[in-house]
Amino acid sequence: DAGVTQSPTHLIKTRGQHVTLRCSPISGHKSVSWYQQVLGQGPQFIFQYYEKEERGRGNFPDRFSARQFPNYSSELNVNALLLGDSALYLCASSPIAGGIETQYFGPGTRLLVL
Amino acid sequence: QKEVEQNSGPLSVPEGAIASLNCTYSDRVSQSFFWYRQYSGKSPELIMSIYSNGDKEDGRFTAQLNKASQYVSLLIRDSQPSDSATYLCAVVAPGFQKLVFGTGTRLLVSP
């Protein structure tokens, strides 16, 4: 079975631009969570979606938004990019809301903001 | 005070030795604790979970939890060079099923 997939794998943007990152969960998984991992730090929770509804939001500015589609794939949008948004963005899917032990991470999208 | 604290390392151990990785957390009501392994340039992979005080063993890995001291550790026996990675401690935040990660400890196992 295919694991969690994310696209693109790498991305370079300039300050002030907008970016959209995409995630396809494992087949049958209805929950998607997004994390930001800055170099040298642990992942930091951004959002969780379950059955197309936002179930949780981390301490991130309103420039960050997300949504989940009927097929349970998800997009993370970041507006007005800052240099500090450069990071590895991880998507994790799970069959249920929460479900940490059944949560699998995708390979991530590495974003560089210049 | 950070919610989850780990020594960033690197922790260097020779092949065959026991590697001991430590983590403390600040929220006393946390109930679930996890250890992830992350190879350089890759995504985290869950290797152990622990919910009750005491030890939990899985192959060469043993997780230890002491809720009174707000301390969780991971022991890796018979360390192998392939164990060289960053080990992330994570705690489930009370009231919501989200992971709060520490900064990770980099482990280097030398042949």
Side-chain angles (χ1 to χ4, degrees):
Chain A
D1 288 340
V4 179
T5 59
Q6 293 186 245
S7 63
T9 55
H10 296 81
L11 201 53
I12 299 175
K13 292 285 190 178
T14 57
R15 282 177 296 175
Q17 286 190 311
H18 162 271
V19 69
T20 297
L21 309 181
R22 295 177 175 83
C23 171
S24 291
I26 292 171
S27 178
H29 284 196
K30 299 181 179 180
S31 175
V32 170
S33 296
W34 287 95
Y35 291 83
Q36 179 197 64
Q37 187 174 22
V38 173
L39 192 63
Q41 302 294 316
Q44 189 171 357
F45 174 79
I46 310 175
F47 286 109
Q48 184 188 95
Y49 277 78
Y50 178 70
E51 288 281 15
K52 301 177 287 295
E53 291 187 4
E54 182 183 303
R55 294 298 186 98
R57 171 187 285 257
N59 188 24
F60 279 80
D62 291 343
R63 299 185 297 108
F64 289 77
S65 63
R67 55 180 176 169
Q68 188 176 32
F69 299 99
N71 67 353
Y72 303 110
S73 66
S74 178
E75 283 183 354
L76 175 70
N77 295 283
V78 187
N79 293 323
L81 285 167
L82 303 175
L83 297 180
D85 295 330
S86 297
L88 178 67
Y89 288 84
L90 295 161
C91 171
S93 81
S94 171
I96 57 174
I100 302 299
E101 284 219 51
T102 54
Q103 178 175 262
Y104 294 90
F105 282 90
T109 293
R110 193 166 296 279
L111 172 65
L112 176 62
V113 182
L114 300 176
Chain B
Q1 181 188 6
K2 290 185 179 179
E3 293 179 81
V4 180
E5 295 207 47
Q6 296 181 255
N7 187 318
S8 60
L11 172 66
S12 296
V13 300
E15 184 175 358
I18 296 175
S20 177
L21 304 160
N22 304 313
C23 171
T24 58
Y25 58 96
S26 61
D27 197 324
R28 188 169 291 277
V29 301
S30 298
Q31 295 294 320
S32 305
F33 307 87
F34 303 87
W35 283 98
Y36 285 80
R37 177 175 61 199
Q38 187 173 28
Y39 291 112
S40 181
K42 302 295 185 182
S43 57
E45 172 193 11
L46 179 65
I47 54 174
M48 289 288 288
S49 60
I50 188 165
Y51 306 98
S52 331
N53 280 328
D55 295 0
K56 178 182 178 182
E57 186 174 318
D58 183 1
R60 294 187 297 113
F61 299 99
T62 298
Q64 299 175 317
L65 175 61
N66 184 326
K67 290 187 179 180
S69 300
Q70 295 175 238
Y71 176 93
V72 58
S73 65
L74 179 71
L75 301 178
I76 306 175
R77 290 182 299 281
D78 189 23
S79 295
Q80 301 296 310
S82 59
D83 295 326
S84 297
T86 296
Y87 289 80
L88 297 160
C89 173
V91 174
V92 172
F96 183 69
Q97 290 285 314
K98 72 171 187 179
L99 286 167
V100 179
F101 285 89
T103 56
T105 298
R106 187 176 169 212
L107 173 66
L108 298 175
V109 182
S110 54

